Amino acid sequence: EEMKQAHPDMYLLINGKRDTTHKGDGVPNLLSPMLLEKQVKHVRAMFDHFHEPMHNIDLVDGYSGLVADDPVWNAQQTPQRGWNGAMSDHVFGYMNRVAHEVHRSHPDKLVSALAYGAYRQPPEKIEKFSPNLALIDVRHRQEFWEESKWNERKQWHPEWLKKLSSGKYITWDFCSNARPEQAGRPVYYMKQISRDLRELKGIS
């Protein structure tokens, strides 16, 4: 709470106000130099004091689809790519900057970033990620019933791997059915999981 008072510029300007309440945490302003400085300091503390081998640097949930008042922020969005890539260059540009700064002091540690929501497609403007950045690709396996969804994900694998200097490609797979009447009930897509695991062999 004291950070929200002391550094409101670290939060995104939405509808004329700095959003410090979204999901209890507020929405980070990825253009804020102070945010970058504070996040790098936080990650270094996690490594130095808790000796984590890898620390996640992803955004607050619900970042996808936001609209800000800042024209510079808006200029970094790529809506022409469709939902899956609308924020990829913007979000991964920031996370890659964090990774580079952390790598200067902790070259033997990893930071992880999610491919999620409107930034699950590989960015176009980043040729190579920092060597300490690991990717966690968030997927819903129930989507793989649709052949076009399966093919889309499959074609992104080599694109991610070309950019991942670390070679660390991890998947986070939801295997629950999202229909309201089956909330909380695990549903296993045996054929989809089997095909997916074969495809991921030697990659993830």
mmCIF file of all heavy atoms in Angstrom, residues 43-89:
data_model
loop_
_atom_site.group_PDB
_atom_site.id
_atom_site.type_symbol
_atom_site.label_atom_id
_atom_site.label_comp_id
_atom_site.label_asym_id
_atom_site.label_seq_id
_atom_site.Cartn_x
_atom_site.Cartn_y
_atom_site.Cartn_z
ATOM 1 N N VAL A 43 13.642 -9.387 -7.536
ATOM 2 C CA VAL A 43 14.122 -10.683 -8.037
ATOM 3 C C VAL A 43 15.496 -10.996 -7.451
ATOM 4 O O VAL A 43 15.763 -12.128 -7.020
ATOM 5 C CB VAL A 43 14.171 -10.697 -9.581
ATOM 6 C CG1 VAL A 43 14.778 -12.005 -10.083
ATOM 7 C CG2 VAL A 43 12.773 -10.509 -10.165
ATOM 8 N N ARG A 44 16.373 -10.009 -7.421
ATOM 9 C CA ARG A 44 17.715 -10.229 -6.856
ATOM 10 C C ARG A 44 17.625 -10.623 -5.377
ATOM 11 O O ARG A 44 18.394 -11.472 -4.913
ATOM 12 C CB ARG A 44 18.561 -8.968 -7.030
ATOM 13 C CG ARG A 44 19.024 -8.764 -8.470
ATOM 14 C CD ARG A 44 19.696 -7.424 -8.691
ATOM 15 N NE ARG A 44 20.253 -7.341 -10.035
ATOM 16 C CZ ARG A 44 20.544 -6.200 -10.657
ATOM 17 N NH1 ARG A 44 20.329 -5.037 -10.044
ATOM 18 N NH2 ARG A 44 21.035 -6.216 -11.886
ATOM 19 N N ALA A 45 16.687 -10.035 -4.656
ATOM 20 C CA ALA A 45 16.505 -10.387 -3.246
ATOM 21 C C ALA A 45 16.037 -11.831 -3.107
ATOM 22 O O ALA A 45 16.472 -12.546 -2.199
ATOM 23 C CB ALA A 45 15.498 -9.436 -2.591
ATOM 24 N N MET A 46 15.146 -12.275 -4.012
ATOM 25 C CA MET A 46 14.675 -13.663 -3.975
ATOM 26 C C MET A 46 15.835 -14.628 -4.166
ATOM 27 O O MET A 46 15.909 -15.678 -3.519
ATOM 28 C CB MET A 46 13.625 -13.900 -5.068
ATOM 29 C CG MET A 46 12.307 -13.179 -4.876
ATOM 30 S SD MET A 46 11.391 -13.695 -3.389
ATOM 31 C CE MET A 46 11.728 -12.328 -2.292
ATOM 32 N N PHE A 47 16.749 -14.277 -5.053
ATOM 33 C CA PHE A 47 17.910 -15.134 -5.301
ATOM 34 C C PHE A 47 18.904 -15.090 -4.140
ATOM 35 O O PHE A 47 19.415 -16.125 -3.696
ATOM 36 C CB PHE A 47 18.606 -14.717 -6.600
ATOM 37 C CG PHE A 47 17.820 -14.996 -7.850
ATOM 38 C CD1 PHE A 47 17.964 -14.193 -8.969
ATOM 39 C CD2 PHE A 47 16.935 -16.064 -7.922
ATOM 40 C CE1 PHE A 47 17.248 -14.451 -10.134
ATOM 41 C CE2 PHE A 47 16.221 -16.330 -9.078
ATOM 42 C CZ PHE A 47 16.374 -15.518 -10.185
ATOM 43 N N ASP A 48 19.174 -13.902 -3.641
ATOM 44 C CA ASP A 48 20.198 -13.738 -2.605
ATOM 45 C C ASP A 48 19.774 -14.288 -1.250
ATOM 46 O O ASP A 48 20.575 -14.885 -0.536
ATOM 47 C CB ASP A 48 20.567 -12.256 -2.451
ATOM 48 C CG ASP A 48 21.297 -11.701 -3.662
ATOM 49 O OD1 ASP A 48 21.855 -12.509 -4.442
ATOM 50 O OD2 ASP A 48 21.302 -10.466 -3.838
ATOM 51 N N HIS A 49 18.512 -14.100 -0.898
ATOM 52 C CA HIS A 49 18.050 -14.465 0.444
ATOM 53 C C HIS A 49 17.328 -15.810 0.509
ATOM 54 O O HIS A 49 17.363 -16.483 1.523
ATOM 55 C CB HIS A 49 17.159 -13.359 1.016
ATOM 56 C CG HIS A 49 17.868 -12.061 1.197
ATOM 57 N ND1 HIS A 49 18.814 -11.858 2.193
ATOM 58 C CD2 HIS A 49 17.821 -10.900 0.492
ATOM 59 C CE1 HIS A 49 19.292 -10.629 2.100
ATOM 60 N NE2 HIS A 49 18.706 -10.027 1.087
ATOM 61 N N PHE A 50 16.672 -16.186 -0.581
ATOM 62 C CA PHE A 50 15.922 -17.442 -0.572
ATOM 63 C C PHE A 50 16.531 -18.502 -1.487
ATOM 64 O O PHE A 50 16.058 -19.631 -1.520
ATOM 65 C CB PHE A 50 14.456 -17.181 -0.964
ATOM 66 C CG PHE A 50 13.740 -16.293 0.011
ATOM 67 C CD1 PHE A 50 13.544 -14.954 -0.273
ATOM 68 C CD2 PHE A 50 13.286 -16.780 1.227
ATOM 69 C CE1 PHE A 50 12.897 -14.113 0.627
ATOM 70 C CE2 PHE A 50 12.640 -15.960 2.129
ATOM 71 C CZ PHE A 50 12.446 -14.619 1.832
ATOM 72 N N HIS A 51 17.555 -18.098 -2.242
ATOM 73 C CA HIS A 51 18.333 -19.037 -3.073
ATOM 74 C C HIS A 51 17.456 -19.800 -4.067
ATOM 75 O O HIS A 51 17.678 -20.982 -4.318
ATOM 76 C CB HIS A 51 19.123 -20.006 -2.177
ATOM 77 C CG HIS A 51 19.908 -19.303 -1.118
ATOM 78 N ND1 HIS A 51 20.990 -18.498 -1.407
ATOM 79 C CD2 HIS A 51 19.751 -19.252 0.239
ATOM 80 C CE1 HIS A 51 21.475 -17.995 -0.284
ATOM 81 N NE2 HIS A 51 20.747 -18.425 0.725
ATOM 82 N N GLU A 52 16.461 -19.141 -4.601
ATOM 83 C CA GLU A 52 15.615 -19.759 -5.624
ATOM 84 C C GLU A 52 16.435 -19.984 -6.899
ATOM 85 O O GLU A 52 17.212 -19.118 -7.300
ATOM 86 C CB GLU A 52 14.421 -18.859 -5.960
ATOM 87 C CG GLU A 52 13.417 -18.702 -4.845
ATOM 88 C CD GLU A 52 12.177 -17.933 -5.301
ATOM 89 O OE1 GLU A 52 12.136 -17.487 -6.463
ATOM 90 O OE2 GLU A 52 11.261 -17.797 -4.498
ATOM 91 N N PRO A 53 16.255 -21.117 -7.571
ATOM 92 C CA PRO A 53 16.946 -21.320 -8.846
ATOM 93 C C PRO A 53 16.282 -20.553 -9.989
ATOM 94 O O PRO A 53 16.927 -20.185 -10.969
ATOM 95 C CB PRO A 53 16.839 -22.828 -9.071
ATOM 96 C CG PRO A 53 15.595 -23.220 -8.327
ATOM 97 C CD PRO A 53 15.509 -22.303 -7.139
ATOM 98 N N MET A 54 14.953 -20.291 -9.839
ATOM 99 C CA MET A 54 14.207 -19.570 -10.870
ATOM 100 C C MET A 54 13.094 -18.783 -10.198
ATOM 101 O O MET A 54 12.478 -19.259 -9.249
ATOM 102 C CB MET A 54 13.621 -20.552 -11.893
ATOM 103 C CG MET A 54 12.824 -19.892 -13.018
ATOM 104 S SD MET A 54 12.437 -21.030 -14.379
ATOM 105 C CE MET A 54 11.107 -21.986 -13.621
ATOM 106 N N HIS A 55 12.846 -17.565 -10.703
ATOM 107 C CA HIS A 55 11.795 -16.723 -10.127
ATOM 108 C C HIS A 55 10.911 -16.188 -11.238
ATOM 109 O O HIS A 55 11.402 -15.739 -12.283
ATOM 110 C CB HIS A 55 12.408 -15.568 -9.344
ATOM 111 C CG HIS A 55 11.401 -14.781 -8.569
ATOM 112 N ND1 HIS A 55 10.832 -15.259 -7.416
ATOM 113 C CD2 HIS A 55 10.836 -13.563 -8.790
ATOM 114 C CE1 HIS A 55 9.965 -14.365 -6.946
ATOM 115 N NE2 HIS A 55 9.946 -13.342 -7.775
ATOM 116 N N ASN A 56 9.596 -16.222 -11.011
ATOM 117 C CA ASN A 56 8.657 -15.771 -12.033
ATOM 118 C C ASN A 56 8.502 -14.252 -12.028
ATOM 119 O O ASN A 56 8.390 -13.635 -10.974
ATOM 120 C CB ASN A 56 7.290 -16.435 -11.823
ATOM 121 C CG ASN A 56 6.318 -16.097 -12.931
ATOM 122 O OD1 ASN A 56 5.475 -15.233 -12.773
ATOM 123 N ND2 ASN A 56 6.452 -16.762 -14.056
ATOM 124 N N ILE A 57 8.485 -13.654 -13.211
ATOM 125 C CA ILE A 57 8.392 -12.189 -13.330
ATOM 126 C C ILE A 57 7.145 -11.778 -14.103
ATOM 127 O O ILE A 57 7.079 -10.676 -14.647
ATOM 128 C CB ILE A 57 9.657 -11.597 -13.992
ATOM 129 C CG1 ILE A 57 9.887 -12.201 -15.389
ATOM 130 C CG2 ILE A 57 10.874 -11.798 -13.114
ATOM 131 C CD1 ILE A 57 10.987 -11.506 -16.182
ATOM 132 N N ASP A 58 6.151 -12.660 -14.185
ATOM 133 C CA ASP A 58 4.979 -12.361 -14.993
ATOM 134 C C ASP A 58 4.092 -11.304 -14.342
ATOM 135 O O ASP A 58 4.315 -10.893 -13.204
ATOM 136 C CB ASP A 58 4.176 -13.638 -15.244
ATOM 137 C CG ASP A 58 3.240 -13.475 -16.423
ATOM 138 O OD1 ASP A 58 3.749 -13.265 -17.536
ATOM 139 O OD2 ASP A 58 2.018 -13.525 -16.224
ATOM 140 N N LEU A 59 3.064 -10.891 -15.088
ATOM 141 C CA LEU A 59 2.200 -9.786 -14.694
ATOM 142 C C LEU A 59 1.038 -10.242 -13.822
ATOM 143 O O LEU A 59 0.763 -11.428 -13.698
ATOM 144 C CB LEU A 59 1.643 -9.103 -15.947
ATOM 145 C CG LEU A 59 2.661 -8.742 -17.020
ATOM 146 C CD1 LEU A 59 1.964 -8.063 -18.185
ATOM 147 C CD2 LEU A 59 3.738 -7.854 -16.456
ATOM 148 N N VAL A 60 0.342 -9.269 -13.280
ATOM 149 C CA VAL A 60 -0.885 -9.536 -12.534
ATOM 150 C C VAL A 60 -1.901 -10.178 -13.483
ATOM 151 O O VAL A 60 -1.957 -9.856 -14.673
ATOM 152 C CB VAL A 60 -1.441 -8.226 -11.927
ATOM 153 C CG1 VAL A 60 -1.832 -7.234 -13.020
ATOM 154 C CG2 VAL A 60 -2.614 -8.489 -11.003
ATOM 155 N N ASP A 61 -2.688 -11.103 -12.962
ATOM 156 C CA ASP A 61 -3.704 -11.762 -13.780
ATOM 157 C C ASP A 61 -4.718 -10.727 -14.275
ATOM 158 O O ASP A 61 -5.072 -9.797 -13.548
ATOM 159 C CB ASP A 61 -4.405 -12.844 -12.952
ATOM 160 C CG ASP A 61 -5.196 -13.800 -13.815
ATOM 161 O OD1 ASP A 61 -4.847 -13.976 -14.994
ATOM 162 O OD2 ASP A 61 -6.169 -14.372 -13.309
ATOM 163 N N GLY A 62 -5.178 -10.892 -15.513
ATOM 164 C CA GLY A 62 -6.162 -9.970 -16.057
ATOM 165 C C GLY A 62 -5.557 -8.788 -16.790
ATOM 166 O O GLY A 62 -6.269 -7.836 -17.131
ATOM 167 N N TYR A 63 -4.259 -8.824 -17.074
ATOM 168 C CA TYR A 63 -3.614 -7.716 -17.801
ATOM 169 C C TYR A 63 -4.091 -7.658 -19.250
ATOM 170 O O TYR A 63 -4.223 -6.581 -19.826
ATOM 171 C CB TYR A 63 -2.090 -7.889 -17.747
ATOM 172 C CG TYR A 63 -1.318 -6.698 -18.267
ATOM 173 C CD1 TYR A 63 -1.053 -5.607 -17.438
ATOM 174 C CD2 TYR A 63 -0.840 -6.654 -19.582
ATOM 175 C CE1 TYR A 63 -0.345 -4.512 -17.909
ATOM 176 C CE2 TYR A 63 -0.138 -5.564 -20.049
ATOM 177 C CZ TYR A 63 0.112 -4.498 -19.220
ATOM 178 O OH TYR A 63 0.817 -3.405 -19.684
ATOM 179 N N SER A 64 -4.343 -8.822 -19.825
ATOM 180 C CA SER A 64 -4.773 -8.880 -21.224
ATOM 181 C C SER A 64 -6.088 -8.140 -21.423
ATOM 182 O O SER A 64 -7.011 -8.252 -20.616
ATOM 183 C CB SER A 64 -4.943 -10.332 -21.660
ATOM 184 O OG SER A 64 -3.716 -11.025 -21.621
ATOM 185 N N GLY A 65 -6.167 -7.394 -22.512
ATOM 186 C CA GLY A 65 -7.401 -6.718 -22.860
ATOM 187 C C GLY A 65 -7.588 -5.357 -22.228
ATOM 188 O O GLY A 65 -8.587 -4.683 -22.481
ATOM 189 N N LEU A 66 -6.646 -4.924 -21.402
ATOM 190 C CA LEU A 66 -6.753 -3.597 -20.791
ATOM 191 C C LEU A 66 -6.538 -2.502 -21.840
ATOM 192 O O LEU A 66 -5.854 -2.714 -22.839
ATOM 193 C CB LEU A 66 -5.715 -3.443 -19.675
ATOM 194 C CG LEU A 66 -5.918 -4.317 -18.437
ATOM 195 C CD1 LEU A 66 -4.707 -4.216 -17.527
ATOM 196 C CD2 LEU A 66 -7.182 -3.919 -17.692
ATOM 197 N N VAL A 67 -7.097 -1.342 -21.583
ATOM 198 C CA VAL A 67 -6.909 -0.179 -22.457
ATOM 199 C C VAL A 67 -6.443 0.969 -21.571
ATOM 200 O O VAL A 67 -7.108 1.334 -20.602
ATOM 201 C CB VAL A 67 -8.212 0.201 -23.184
ATOM 202 C CG1 VAL A 67 -7.984 1.434 -24.050
ATOM 203 C CG2 VAL A 67 -8.714 -0.962 -24.043
ATOM 204 N N ALA A 68 -5.295 1.540 -21.907
ATOM 205 C CA ALA A 68 -4.720 2.616 -21.098
ATOM 206 C C ALA A 68 -4.882 3.967 -21.791
ATOM 207 O O ALA A 68 -5.163 4.041 -22.988
ATOM 208 C CB ALA A 68 -3.241 2.334 -20.836
ATOM 209 N N ASP A 69 -4.662 5.039 -21.017
ATOM 210 C CA ASP A 69 -4.751 6.395 -21.555
ATOM 211 C C ASP A 69 -3.457 6.842 -22.236
ATOM 212 O O ASP A 69 -3.459 7.847 -22.933
ATOM 213 C CB ASP A 69 -5.074 7.388 -20.420
ATOM 214 C CG ASP A 69 -6.422 7.106 -19.773
ATOM 215 O OD1 ASP A 69 -7.215 6.351 -20.355
ATOM 216 O OD2 ASP A 69 -6.680 7.649 -18.685
ATOM 217 N N ASP A 70 -2.374 6.133 -22.000
ATOM 218 C CA ASP A 70 -1.044 6.540 -22.463
ATOM 219 C C ASP A 70 -0.855 6.217 -23.950
ATOM 220 O O ASP A 70 -0.887 5.045 -24.343
ATOM 221 C CB ASP A 70 0.010 5.806 -21.626
ATOM 222 C CG ASP A 70 1.416 6.326 -21.865
ATOM 223 O OD1 ASP A 70 1.674 6.898 -22.938
ATOM 224 O OD2 ASP A 70 2.267 6.142 -20.972
ATOM 225 N N PRO A 71 -0.623 7.227 -24.810
ATOM 226 C CA PRO A 71 -0.431 6.956 -26.240
ATOM 227 C C PRO A 71 0.822 6.126 -26.529
ATOM 228 O O PRO A 71 0.850 5.363 -27.503
ATOM 229 C CB PRO A 71 -0.331 8.349 -26.869
ATOM 230 C CG PRO A 71 -0.010 9.279 -25.737
ATOM 231 C CD PRO A 71 -0.611 8.671 -24.519
ATOM 232 N N VAL A 72 1.856 6.260 -25.695
ATOM 233 C CA VAL A 72 3.073 5.462 -25.891
ATOM 234 C C VAL A 72 2.774 3.990 -25.599
ATOM 235 O O VAL A 72 3.213 3.086 -26.321
ATOM 236 C CB VAL A 72 4.221 5.973 -24.984
ATOM 237 C CG1 VAL A 72 5.465 5.114 -25.168
ATOM 238 C CG2 VAL A 72 4.521 7.434 -25.299
ATOM 239 N N TRP A 73 2.024 3.750 -24.531
ATOM 240 C CA TRP A 73 1.600 2.386 -24.191
ATOM 241 C C TRP A 73 0.775 1.790 -25.323
ATOM 242 O O TRP A 73 0.998 0.662 -25.751
ATOM 243 C CB TRP A 73 0.794 2.432 -22.893
ATOM 244 C CG TRP A 73 0.406 1.109 -22.314
ATOM 245 C CD1 TRP A 73 1.105 0.383 -21.386
ATOM 246 C CD2 TRP A 73 -0.780 0.349 -22.597
ATOM 247 N NE1 TRP A 73 0.430 -0.773 -21.075
ATOM 248 C CE2 TRP A 73 -0.730 -0.827 -21.805
ATOM 249 C CE3 TRP A 73 -1.877 0.542 -23.433
ATOM 250 C CZ2 TRP A 73 -1.728 -1.789 -21.832
ATOM 251 C CZ3 TRP A 73 -2.875 -0.418 -23.472
ATOM 252 C CH2 TRP A 73 -2.797 -1.569 -22.678
ATOM 253 N N ASN A 74 -0.185 2.564 -25.833
ATOM 254 C CA ASN A 74 -1.042 2.087 -26.915
ATOM 255 C C ASN A 74 -0.252 1.800 -28.186
ATOM 256 O O ASN A 74 -0.590 0.880 -28.936
ATOM 257 C CB ASN A 74 -2.159 3.094 -27.197
ATOM 258 C CG ASN A 74 -3.242 3.049 -26.129
ATOM 259 O OD1 ASN A 74 -3.796 2.006 -25.838
ATOM 260 N ND2 ASN A 74 -3.539 4.191 -25.526
ATOM 261 N N ALA A 75 0.790 2.590 -28.420
ATOM 262 C CA ALA A 75 1.604 2.400 -29.627
ATOM 263 C C ALA A 75 2.371 1.079 -29.604
ATOM 264 O O ALA A 75 2.769 0.572 -30.655
ATOM 265 C CB ALA A 75 2.576 3.567 -29.788
ATOM 266 N N GLN A 76 2.567 0.527 -28.413
ATOM 267 C CA GLN A 76 3.287 -0.747 -28.296
ATOM 268 C C GLN A 76 2.387 -1.959 -28.525
ATOM 269 O O GLN A 76 2.885 -3.076 -28.655
ATOM 270 C CB GLN A 76 3.946 -0.857 -26.922
ATOM 271 C CG GLN A 76 5.091 0.105 -26.716
ATOM 272 C CD GLN A 76 5.849 -0.170 -25.428
ATOM 273 O OE1 GLN A 76 5.513 -1.064 -24.655
ATOM 274 N NE2 GLN A 76 6.888 0.605 -25.190
ATOM 275 N N GLN A 77 1.077 -1.747 -28.581
ATOM 276 C CA GLN A 77 0.148 -2.862 -28.790
ATOM 277 C C GLN A 77 0.091 -3.219 -30.275
ATOM 278 O O GLN A 77 0.314 -2.364 -31.144
ATOM 279 C CB GLN A 77 -1.248 -2.496 -28.281
ATOM 280 C CG GLN A 77 -1.286 -1.877 -26.890
ATOM 281 C CD GLN A 77 -0.569 -2.709 -25.840
ATOM 282 O OE1 GLN A 77 -0.793 -3.903 -25.712
ATOM 283 N NE2 GLN A 77 0.304 -2.070 -25.068
ATOM 284 N N THR A 78 -0.208 -4.468 -30.571
ATOM 285 C CA THR A 78 -0.300 -4.917 -31.970
ATOM 286 C C THR A 78 -1.623 -5.651 -32.187
ATOM 287 O O THR A 78 -1.641 -6.872 -32.407
ATOM 288 C CB THR A 78 0.894 -5.841 -32.315
ATOM 289 O OG1 THR A 78 0.986 -6.877 -31.311
ATOM 290 C CG2 THR A 78 2.193 -5.074 -32.368
ATOM 291 N N PRO A 79 -2.748 -4.919 -32.132
ATOM 292 C CA PRO A 79 -4.055 -5.560 -32.280
ATOM 293 C C PRO A 79 -4.254 -6.228 -33.632
ATOM 294 O O PRO A 79 -5.084 -7.135 -33.769
ATOM 295 C CB PRO A 79 -5.041 -4.395 -32.084
ATOM 296 C CG PRO A 79 -4.248 -3.155 -32.375
ATOM 297 C CD PRO A 79 -2.856 -3.464 -31.940
ATOM 298 N N GLN A 80 -3.493 -5.804 -34.634
ATOM 299 C CA GLN A 80 -3.607 -6.398 -35.964
ATOM 300 C C GLN A 80 -3.205 -7.870 -35.984
ATOM 301 O O GLN A 80 -3.555 -8.602 -36.909
ATOM 302 C CB GLN A 80 -2.765 -5.611 -36.985
ATOM 303 C CG GLN A 80 -1.258 -5.695 -36.796
ATOM 304 C CD GLN A 80 -0.702 -4.691 -35.794
ATOM 305 O OE1 GLN A 80 -1.459 -4.054 -35.058
ATOM 306 N NE2 GLN A 80 0.606 -4.545 -35.764
ATOM 307 N N ARG A 81 -2.519 -8.323 -34.949
ATOM 308 C CA ARG A 81 -2.113 -9.730 -34.870
ATOM 309 C C ARG A 81 -3.226 -10.617 -34.321
ATOM 310 O O ARG A 81 -3.087 -11.832 -34.294
ATOM 311 C CB ARG A 81 -0.864 -9.886 -33.988
ATOM 312 C CG ARG A 81 0.361 -9.149 -34.494
ATOM 313 C CD ARG A 81 1.580 -9.491 -33.658
ATOM 314 N NE ARG A 81 2.002 -10.853 -33.875
ATOM 315 C CZ ARG A 81 2.883 -11.501 -33.109
ATOM 316 N NH1 ARG A 81 3.402 -10.903 -32.050
ATOM 317 N NH2 ARG A 81 3.217 -12.742 -33.372
ATOM 318 N N GLY A 82 -4.311 -10.009 -33.866
ATOM 319 C CA GLY A 82 -5.369 -10.776 -33.222
ATOM 320 C C GLY A 82 -5.102 -10.892 -31.732
ATOM 321 O O GLY A 82 -4.052 -10.482 -31.225
ATOM 322 N N TRP A 83 -6.064 -11.480 -31.014
ATOM 323 C CA TRP A 83 -5.998 -11.545 -29.558
ATOM 324 C C TRP A 83 -4.712 -12.182 -29.049
ATOM 325 O O TRP A 83 -4.069 -11.673 -28.131
ATOM 326 C CB TRP A 83 -7.209 -12.321 -29.031
ATOM 327 C CG TRP A 83 -7.118 -12.656 -27.568
ATOM 328 C CD1 TRP A 83 -6.791 -13.854 -27.018
ATOM 329 C CD2 TRP A 83 -7.333 -11.767 -26.464
ATOM 330 N NE1 TRP A 83 -6.797 -13.777 -25.642
ATOM 331 C CE2 TRP A 83 -7.128 -12.507 -25.281
ATOM 332 C CE3 TRP A 83 -7.691 -10.414 -26.370
ATOM 333 C CZ2 TRP A 83 -7.267 -11.941 -24.018
ATOM 334 C CZ3 TRP A 83 -7.818 -9.860 -25.099
ATOM 335 C CH2 TRP A 83 -7.615 -10.615 -23.952
ATOM 336 N N ASN A 84 -4.285 -13.294 -29.627
ATOM 337 C CA ASN A 84 -3.157 -14.057 -29.084
ATOM 338 C C ASN A 84 -1.832 -13.301 -29.105
ATOM 339 O O ASN A 84 -0.928 -13.623 -28.333
ATOM 340 C CB ASN A 84 -2.996 -15.373 -29.850
ATOM 341 C CG ASN A 84 -4.139 -16.322 -29.609
ATOM 342 O OD1 ASN A 84 -4.649 -16.421 -28.503
ATOM 343 N ND2 ASN A 84 -4.559 -17.033 -30.645
ATOM 344 N N GLY A 85 -1.700 -12.326 -29.990
ATOM 345 C CA GLY A 85 -0.432 -11.603 -30.086
ATOM 346 C C GLY A 85 -0.559 -10.109 -29.892
ATOM 347 O O GLY A 85 0.403 -9.361 -30.105
ATOM 348 N N ALA A 86 -1.739 -9.653 -29.453
ATOM 349 C CA ALA A 86 -2.005 -8.208 -29.355
ATOM 350 C C ALA A 86 -1.070 -7.487 -28.389
ATOM 351 O O ALA A 86 -0.794 -6.296 -28.547
ATOM 352 C CB ALA A 86 -3.457 -7.967 -28.952
ATOM 353 N N MET A 87 -0.559 -8.204 -27.367
ATOM 354 C CA MET A 87 0.312 -7.572 -26.366
ATOM 355 C C MET A 87 1.692 -8.222 -26.293
ATOM 356 O O MET A 87 2.477 -7.900 -25.398
ATOM 357 C CB MET A 87 -0.345 -7.650 -24.986
ATOM 358 C CG MET A 87 -1.557 -6.764 -24.811
ATOM 359 S SD MET A 87 -2.198 -6.904 -23.108
ATOM 360 C CE MET A 87 -3.115 -5.373 -22.969
ATOM 361 N N SER A 88 1.997 -9.117 -27.212
ATOM 362 C CA SER A 88 3.220 -9.914 -27.088
ATOM 363 C C SER A 88 4.490 -9.076 -27.068
ATOM 364 O O SER A 88 5.357 -9.256 -26.204
ATOM 365 C CB SER A 88 3.297 -10.941 -28.226
ATOM 366 O OG SER A 88 2.279 -11.897 -28.087
ATOM 367 N N ASP A 89 4.630 -8.154 -28.016
ATOM 368 C CA ASP A 89 5.855 -7.347 -28.056
ATOM 369 C C ASP A 89 5.937 -6.403 -26.870
ATOM 370 O O ASP A 89 7.015 -6.208 -26.300
ATOM 371 C CB ASP A 89 5.921 -6.571 -29.375
ATOM 372 C CG ASP A 89 6.393 -7.446 -30.532
ATOM 373 O OD1 ASP A 89 7.582 -7.796 -30.545
ATOM 374 O OD2 ASP A 89 5.569 -7.803 -31.382
#
